[in-house]
Amino acid sequence: MKPEDISVALGSDHAGTALKATLAEALRAAGHPVLDLGTHGAESVDYPDFANAVAAAVLDGRGRFGLLVCGTGIGISIAANRHPGIRCALVHDVTGARLSREHNDANVLALGARLTGPEVALDALRAFLATPFGGERHARRIRKLTPDWSPRP
Amino acid sequence: MKPEDISVALGSDHAGTALKATLAEALRAAGHPVLDLGTHGAESVDYPDFANAVAAAVLDGRGRFGLLVCGTGIGISIAANRHPGIRCALVHDVTGARLSREHNDANVLALGARLTGPEVALDALRAFLATPFGGERHARRIRKLTPDWSPRP
């Protein structure tokens, strides 16, 4: 698939806005459609609200993938994973990002802006978008996370 | 609280049994009651089953905390976080473990045996158990994860 066919919905709390902006710029430069659902300022907000907004965008197809950032990635990934159709992978490097696509067919990537630096985050995001799902041997486990899951291109 | 008052329910898939055994031994040596819910052998199993078993143990009080291990920690933490009463933090180091208790009142710790080495995992577990919840300023966000949440000792 071409980058213009792989849209990404972005969300963060106030701790994640700078990293989100860096990643959004890189995504746009690579040709991906970007849907930035906020937050945009420094005002204190609640990470679950932005997790829910990105989850909704992925579930209704506005974003093929989601990207979430908070201070640690922990709270925002817990919130995203309350949605049975979302498989949100909190990763800290390229390896976790790659394996989350291969093994879990993750559809949302979460990063912690206070734990993972911008170059590591950017490499992880690229690996996430470049790695295909590993195939049927993982399907039974994924259906225990998302009962109506089916593979997609 | 004394270690004997802080019980830990453990679960892993086949990729996590060796790290789970190391952590269980350390917990027992420190005086924590340990409830090991498996898996115990090398046979291939499905990580969601063990996430669900540990989630049930934490929710019904058999474990004050839960500890989950799979290859990356990603799949098993997604499964645990399908339960609204569970706040499962996938961490890679002491810092994430500490912040997950302070900010998210995490009640389950997830680790990836293929990504995080045993000494780092052990330090993260110790930090997780030693760190109290940071208090009321985080409560509004936690109630968006777990609507009936209330602080506990």
Side-chain angles (χ1 to χ4, degrees), chain A residues 88-89 100 104 145, chain B residues 47-48 51 70-81 90:
Chain A
C88 176
S100 78
N104 310 109
L145 304 176
Chain B
Y47 52 77
C70 71
T72 59
I74 293 169
I76 210 160
S77 63
I78 292 173
N81 282 319
L90 171 56

Side-chain angles (χ1 to χ4, degrees), chain B residues 8-13 20 35-39 47-69 76 79-80 83 85-86 88 107-110:
Chain B
V8 183
L10 274 67
S12 76
D13 72 356
K20 173 166 67 63
L35 178 67
D36 187 341
L37 297 167
T39 190
Y47 52 77
D49 301 343
F50 297 89
N52 291 338
V54 166
V58 171
L59 293 172
D60 72 18
R62 283 174 291 149
R64 168 64 184 91
F65 293 111
L67 173 63
L68 291 169
V69 186
I76 210 160
H83 300 266
I86 297 297
C88 176
N107 51 10
V108 177
L109 179 70

